Amino acid sequence: DRVNVVFRRQPQGLESIIVTDITGRTIAAQEYDQQSAFYTFSMSSLQSGIYLVVLNFKDKKEVRKVMIR
């Protein structure tokens, strides 16, 4: 299992992408690279459950829920 993060346009002010479990423990993280519009995070070693993909911008955070079955 894996989570793919894909951007259609270059996001302005994005600094990093972090995957956490529901308690906030960091599972994986990548610094934002302006040359890449596609990021893959391996989730194969994780238990079923809800995880969060956190997009850290300079002035805000955006969070998306992901369910692993």
Side-chain angles (χ1 to χ4, degrees), residues 6-68:
V6 180
F7 298 104
R8 291 184 215 154
R9 295 182 270 129
Q10 293 284 355
Q12 298 296 322
L14 181 64
E15 296 177 338
S16 64
I17 304 167
I18 299 172
V19 179
T20 70
D21 64 13
I22 200 71
T23 67
R25 182 176 60 101
T26 299
I27 304 299
Q30 288 189 13
E31 295 296 317
Y32 175 62
D33 177 2
Q34 292 184 357
Q35 303 300 316
S36 180
F38 185 85
Y39 296 85
T40 299
F41 295 91
S42 175
M43 308 295 264
S44 60
S45 64
L46 300 177
Q47 295 181 354
S48 297
I50 297 175
Y51 294 85
L52 305 174
V53 177
V54 182
L55 305 174
N56 287 314
F57 291 87
K58 289 181 182 179
D59 58 348
K60 65 180 179 177
K61 287 184 182 183
E62 290 186 20
V63 179
R64 303 287 187 262
K65 290 182 186 176
V66 177
M67 179 179 279
I68 304 295

